[in-house]
Amino acid sequence: MKTEERHASWLELFFDLVAVAGVAQLSHLVRGTTSWSDAGLYVVCFLAFWTAWMCFTVYGNVTGEAAHTMPVLLAMAGLVFMAGAVHDLDEHAQAFAIAYVAVRGLASRVWEGRENTRIIVEWPVVHAGMGVVPWFVSFWVDAPGKYLLWALGLGIDLVAGLTMSGERVAARMTERATQSRRPAPGLAFAHLDIAHFGERLGLFTIIVLGEGVLTVTEAATEVPDWAGPLFWTVLGVLALLAALWGAALFQGFGGIPYLSHTAWGPRALLPVHCLVAGLLAALAAGFGDVVESVSPGHVAAGTRWLLCGCVAAFTVVGVAARVASKMWKRWDFVAVLAGLGIPAGLGFLGGTLTPARFLWVLVLAILPGLVREFPRRRRAAAPGAEGA
């Protein structure tokens, strides 16, 4: 019997509004910057925000319509404060850290019931407290040491997500109860709904791509001369966004380009999704800088390398996904050559191109990966193909 397919609930969609605010603020950390320290801070803050968001995305995925509304709304408030603090992180770093610790603590508590505690087998990070400890210590440390402690905590969570099992978490909980001479809690193991989870990850990716559209729109309003160069530049951005959408969502799974939904489990799916979302958010920031460069007539080196580096990294992720999905073909060598060679060439030589030409050439780095799928999809959609 075919089970009914789940879709995101109204509560989950409402919760995702914080991702809109968070991505918008986080992208400003790399907007117009040429500093490696700013880029590193962006990585740390994006990973923190994504991890906090993911904790409650997992909660909604497992509990479905039984999810309690109040914890989700409180988590939204915490994520809003995290997003707001990014705008002036030097002044509000403490608020960012406090909000993160509060959301992580709340995410751990929602699994503790009166009768038993549910353990998420595929992503036990939500139960682990070690990654939060460096964040707590950072309350009494000034920057840049504060940011290094944040990175340490996130690194612990990343390693735990890749190596820790739900069974080990359950054993530790039982051991602590025994040492404290308290009754051991009743434990139940919960599993993720992968199909529904892919939809939730894809929605986050759509939000990030939407930030690219918003950034370009805002940047275009600041350009006084609306002439051919601006129109072709904006169209180039939209073409590149469409190509990224096609690779990540139309031909991918969960926002990961060219990935089959059966290729990776949550342990690999989650960190790779975070990587792709972070790359797309950085691209969104760079798009605004490209549009603003219409007046000077060339793309600054920092912006050029940001966009080229993100597209090249996107290509590498797509290659890994194709291999994992066992869909590698000879044409993929052409796609890889374009996806890595064109960004590299533009990074070194693109300073002589206008912003519009730069963008349209960069689109060519994504197109070969898209073209290789169309014949297969057309055959699959042809009448009688299913029974062939």
Side-chain angles (χ1 to χ4, degrees):
M1 184 176 65
K2 184 178 180 180
T3 59
E4 184 178 354
E5 185 178 354
R6 278 185 59 197
H7 294 286
S9 67
W10 291 116
L11 179 60
E12 288 176 307
L13 293 174
F14 184 53
F15 176 72
D16 282 349
L17 291 178
V18 298
V20 177
V23 171
Q25 293 299 319
L26 288 162
S27 63
H28 287 300
L29 289 175
V30 290
R31 181 82 183 269
T33 184
T34 58
S35 169
W36 284 106
S37 60
D38 288 343
L41 188 59
Y42 164 77
V43 171
V44 170
C45 290
F46 188 93
L47 183 54
F49 186 89
W50 180 91
T51 300
W53 174 83
M54 183 54 64
C55 285
F56 277 87
T57 298
V58 169
Y59 174 66
N61 177 269
V62 173
T63 57
E65 295 295 335
H68 296 291
T69 302
M70 187 53 65
V72 176
L73 296 180
L74 290 174
M76 284 184 68
L79 285 165
V80 166
F81 282 113
M82 289 178 66
V86 170
H87 183 71
D88 188 2
L89 199 59
D90 291 337
E91 183 69 23
H92 302 303
Q94 194 79 325
F96 186 92
I98 292 173
Y100 176 80
V101 171
V103 172
R104 288 298 305 275
L106 181 62
S108 179
R109 292 285 296 177
V110 294
W111 300 106
E112 299 177 7
R114 294 182 179 179
E115 297 181 358
N116 58 44
T117 296
R118 283 176 291 181
I119 306 297
I120 308 302
V121 175
E122 294 93 345
W123 203 60
V125 169
V126 69
H127 308 288
M130 287 301 297
V132 181
V133 172
W135 285 80
F136 187 77
V137 174
S138 75
F139 294 166
W140 294 275
V141 179
D142 295 328
K146 180 186 292 290
Y147 304 143
L148 293 175
L149 285 169
W150 293 0
L152 175 62
L154 293 168
I156 292 173
D157 280 338
L158 182 61
V159 172
L162 293 173
T163 61
M164 185 180 294
S165 65
E167 289 77 4
R168 287 177 58 188
V169 173
R172 290 184 180 182
M173 288 184 175
T174 303
E175 183 180 356
R176 290 174 189 168
T178 302
Q179 292 176 350
S180 60
R181 297 181 181 179
R182 294 180 300 177
L187 300 176
F189 295 101
H191 296 271
L192 298 175
D193 183 333
I194 297 300
H196 173 262
F197 206 58
E199 180 188 65
R200 301 284 285 117
L201 298 179
L203 287 172
F204 189 94
T205 304
I206 283 289
I207 289 171
V208 176
L209 292 173
E211 177 57 26
V213 176
L214 179 60
T215 301
V216 170
T217 304
E218 292 178 345
T221 62
E222 301 296 327
V223 179
D225 184 16
W226 277 36
L230 176 64
F231 295 138
W232 283 110
T233 300
V234 171
L235 289 175
V237 171
L238 295 178
L240 185 54
L241 283 171
L244 294 168
W245 163 82
L249 295 169
F250 185 67
Q251 297 184 12
F253 175 74
I256 299 175
Y258 312 120
L259 181 70
S260 167
H261 73 282
T262 59
W264 285 336
R267 291 185 184 276
L269 186 66
L270 291 182
V272 177
H273 175 269
C274 181
L275 171 61
V276 173
L279 292 172
L280 294 178
L283 276 169
F287 289 151
D289 294 330
V290 171
V291 173
E292 291 179 354
S293 66
V294 168
S295 296
H298 67 277
V299 182
T303 301
R304 195 168 69 245
W305 279 109
L306 172 66
L307 267 63
C308 292
C310 288
V311 169
F314 186 87
T315 298
V316 172
V317 173
V319 169
R322 292 282 294 182
V323 172
S325 301
K326 298 179 180 179
M327 297 169 62
W328 186 266
K329 299 177 181 178
R330 284 179 294 180
W331 178 256
D332 288 285
F333 290 104
V334 177
V336 172
L337 183 62
L340 297 180
I342 291 176
L346 286 176
F348 286 107
L349 305 175
T352 60
L353 299 178
T354 64
R357 290 177 179 174
F358 170 82
L359 286 169
W360 283 102
V361 173
L362 196 57
V363 170
L364 297 178
I366 306 294
L367 284 183
L370 296 174
V371 171
R372 66 186 165 193
E373 287 291 319
F374 286 142
R376 184 178 65 86
R377 288 179 177 269
R378 186 176 300 174
R379 288 195 300 270
E386 185 175 350

